[in-house]
mmCIF file of all heavy atoms in Angstrom:
data_model
loop_
_atom_site.group_PDB
_atom_site.id
_atom_site.type_symbol
_atom_site.label_atom_id
_atom_site.label_comp_id
_atom_site.label_asym_id
_atom_site.label_seq_id
_atom_site.Cartn_x
_atom_site.Cartn_y
_atom_site.Cartn_z
ATOM 1 N N ALA A 247 22.267 3.164 36.299
ATOM 2 C CA ALA A 247 22.087 2.195 35.215
ATOM 3 C C ALA A 247 23.385 2.097 34.438
ATOM 4 O O ALA A 247 23.868 3.102 33.895
ATOM 5 C CB ALA A 247 20.937 2.616 34.294
ATOM 6 N N LEU A 248 23.958 0.918 34.386
ATOM 7 C CA LEU A 248 25.177 0.656 33.628
ATOM 8 C C LEU A 248 24.811 -0.043 32.326
ATOM 9 O O LEU A 248 23.879 -0.841 32.278
ATOM 10 C CB LEU A 248 26.135 -0.222 34.439
ATOM 11 C CG LEU A 248 26.417 0.236 35.871
ATOM 12 C CD1 LEU A 248 27.375 -0.731 36.549
ATOM 13 C CD2 LEU A 248 26.964 1.653 35.889
ATOM 14 N N HIS A 249 25.541 0.260 31.285
ATOM 15 C CA HIS A 249 25.250 -0.326 29.976
ATOM 16 C C HIS A 249 25.252 -1.856 30.060
ATOM 17 O O HIS A 249 26.101 -2.447 30.744
ATOM 18 C CB HIS A 249 26.297 0.138 28.968
ATOM 19 C CG HIS A 249 25.910 -0.078 27.538
ATOM 20 N ND1 HIS A 249 25.929 -1.327 26.945
ATOM 21 C CD2 HIS A 249 25.472 0.784 26.586
ATOM 22 C CE1 HIS A 249 25.548 -1.217 25.690
ATOM 23 N NE2 HIS A 249 25.249 0.055 25.440
ATOM 24 N N PRO A 250 24.309 -2.505 29.381
ATOM 25 C CA PRO A 250 24.281 -3.979 29.421
ATOM 26 C C PRO A 250 25.595 -4.631 29.009
ATOM 27 O O PRO A 250 25.933 -5.714 29.510
ATOM 28 C CB PRO A 250 23.160 -4.321 28.430
ATOM 29 C CG PRO A 250 22.228 -3.157 28.492
ATOM 30 C CD PRO A 250 23.124 -1.954 28.680
ATOM 31 N N HIS A 251 26.371 -3.982 28.112
ATOM 32 C CA HIS A 251 27.656 -4.569 27.732
ATOM 33 C C HIS A 251 28.599 -4.679 28.925
ATOM 34 O O HIS A 251 29.435 -5.592 28.978
ATOM 35 C CB HIS A 251 28.325 -3.717 26.645
ATOM 36 C CG HIS A 251 27.703 -3.848 25.285
ATOM 37 N ND1 HIS A 251 26.632 -4.669 25.025
ATOM 38 C CD2 HIS A 251 28.015 -3.257 24.093
ATOM 39 C CE1 HIS A 251 26.310 -4.574 23.746
ATOM 40 N NE2 HIS A 251 27.128 -3.732 23.166
ATOM 41 N N THR A 252 28.486 -3.751 29.867
ATOM 42 C CA THR A 252 29.328 -3.826 31.067
ATOM 43 C C THR A 252 28.997 -5.073 31.873
ATOM 44 O O THR A 252 29.889 -5.804 32.321
ATOM 45 C CB THR A 252 29.130 -2.567 31.928
ATOM 46 O OG1 THR A 252 29.466 -1.414 31.154
ATOM 47 C CG2 THR A 252 29.987 -2.611 33.175
ATOM 48 N N TRP A 253 27.710 -5.324 32.062
ATOM 49 C CA TRP A 253 27.279 -6.526 32.796
ATOM 50 C C TRP A 253 27.676 -7.798 32.036
ATOM 51 O O TRP A 253 28.112 -8.788 32.646
ATOM 52 C CB TRP A 253 25.763 -6.504 32.971
ATOM 53 C CG TRP A 253 25.233 -5.418 33.839
ATOM 54 C CD1 TRP A 253 24.887 -4.146 33.461
ATOM 55 C CD2 TRP A 253 24.960 -5.498 35.240
ATOM 56 N NE1 TRP A 253 24.423 -3.439 34.530
ATOM 57 C CE2 TRP A 253 24.447 -4.239 35.643
ATOM 58 C CE3 TRP A 253 25.087 -6.502 36.194
ATOM 59 C CZ2 TRP A 253 24.062 -3.967 36.951
ATOM 60 C CZ3 TRP A 253 24.701 -6.236 37.500
ATOM 61 C CH2 TRP A 253 24.208 -4.978 37.871
ATOM 62 N N THR A 254 27.512 -7.768 30.736
ATOM 63 C CA THR A 254 27.795 -8.953 29.920
ATOM 64 C C THR A 254 29.276 -9.296 29.933
ATOM 65 O O THR A 254 29.656 -10.468 30.079
ATOM 66 C CB THR A 254 27.323 -8.708 28.477
ATOM 67 O OG1 THR A 254 25.904 -8.578 28.471
ATOM 68 C CG2 THR A 254 27.729 -9.841 27.564
ATOM 69 N N TRP A 255 30.119 -8.294 29.769
ATOM 70 C CA TRP A 255 31.551 -8.537 29.616
ATOM 71 C C TRP A 255 32.219 -8.926 30.935
ATOM 72 O O TRP A 255 33.044 -9.832 30.984
ATOM 73 C CB TRP A 255 32.221 -7.303 29.023
ATOM 74 C CG TRP A 255 33.620 -7.538 28.547
ATOM 75 C CD1 TRP A 255 34.773 -7.136 29.153
ATOM 76 C CD2 TRP A 255 34.007 -8.251 27.374
ATOM 77 N NE1 TRP A 255 35.861 -7.537 28.423
ATOM 78 C CE2 TRP A 255 35.423 -8.230 27.325
ATOM 79 C CE3 TRP A 255 33.305 -8.908 26.357
ATOM 80 C CZ2 TRP A 255 36.143 -8.831 26.291
ATOM 81 C CZ3 TRP A 255 34.023 -9.503 25.332
ATOM 82 C CH2 TRP A 255 35.420 -9.470 25.312
ATOM 83 N N HIS A 256 31.843 -8.215 32.002
ATOM 84 C CA HIS A 256 32.505 -8.445 33.291
ATOM 85 C C HIS A 256 31.793 -9.480 34.159
ATOM 86 O O HIS A 256 32.397 -10.016 35.091
ATOM 87 C CB HIS A 256 32.620 -7.130 34.061
ATOM 88 C CG HIS A 256 33.543 -6.146 33.411
ATOM 89 N ND1 HIS A 256 34.907 -6.255 33.447
ATOM 90 C CD2 HIS A 256 33.272 -5.038 32.661
ATOM 91 C CE1 HIS A 256 35.462 -5.251 32.784
ATOM 92 N NE2 HIS A 256 34.495 -4.493 32.297
ATOM 93 N N GLY A 257 30.526 -9.752 33.863
ATOM 94 C CA GLY A 257 29.782 -10.719 34.649
ATOM 95 C C GLY A 257 28.972 -10.051 35.740
ATOM 96 O O GLY A 257 29.443 -9.109 36.400
ATOM 97 N N ARG A 258 27.755 -10.539 35.946
ATOM 98 C CA ARG A 258 26.855 -9.900 36.910
ATOM 99 C C ARG A 258 27.396 -9.962 38.336
ATOM 100 O O ARG A 258 27.302 -8.982 39.084
ATOM 101 C CB ARG A 258 25.479 -10.554 36.840
ATOM 102 C CG ARG A 258 24.811 -10.363 35.498
ATOM 103 C CD ARG A 258 23.347 -10.675 35.558
ATOM 104 N NE ARG A 258 22.747 -10.497 34.244
ATOM 105 C CZ ARG A 258 21.513 -10.092 34.021
ATOM 106 N NH1 ARG A 258 20.726 -9.829 35.041
ATOM 107 N NH2 ARG A 258 21.047 -9.951 32.816
ATOM 108 N N ARG A 259 27.952 -11.081 38.683
ATOM 109 C CA ARG A 259 28.478 -11.206 40.051
ATOM 110 C C ARG A 259 29.585 -10.184 40.302
ATOM 111 O O ARG A 259 29.630 -9.549 41.361
ATOM 112 C CB ARG A 259 28.991 -12.629 40.296
ATOM 113 C CG ARG A 259 29.503 -12.861 41.706
ATOM 114 C CD ARG A 259 30.014 -14.283 41.879
ATOM 115 N NE ARG A 259 30.550 -14.479 43.212
ATOM 116 C CZ ARG A 259 29.835 -14.840 44.283
ATOM 117 N NH1 ARG A 259 28.523 -15.028 44.174
ATOM 118 N NH2 ARG A 259 30.404 -15.011 45.455
ATOM 119 N N GLN A 260 30.457 -10.007 39.305
ATOM 120 C CA GLN A 260 31.554 -9.061 39.478
ATOM 121 C C GLN A 260 31.053 -7.622 39.567
ATOM 122 O O GLN A 260 31.498 -6.844 40.427
ATOM 123 C CB GLN A 260 32.538 -9.192 38.311
ATOM 124 C CG GLN A 260 33.770 -8.324 38.452
ATOM 125 C CD GLN A 260 34.614 -8.732 39.633
ATOM 126 O OE1 GLN A 260 35.316 -9.741 39.580
ATOM 127 N NE2 GLN A 260 34.553 -7.972 40.728
ATOM 128 N N VAL A 261 30.132 -7.246 38.686
ATOM 129 C CA VAL A 261 29.600 -5.878 38.718
ATOM 130 C C VAL A 261 28.891 -5.613 40.039
ATOM 131 O O VAL A 261 29.035 -4.537 40.641
ATOM 132 C CB VAL A 261 28.659 -5.640 37.513
ATOM 133 C CG1 VAL A 261 27.959 -4.280 37.629
ATOM 134 C CG2 VAL A 261 29.435 -5.714 36.205
#
Side-chain angles (χ1 to χ4, degrees):
L248 310 180
H249 196 285
H251 286 359
T252 301
W253 294 88
T254 295
W255 193 255
H256 293 285
R258 296 195 181 212
R259 182 181 178 87
Q260 184 65 76
V261 173

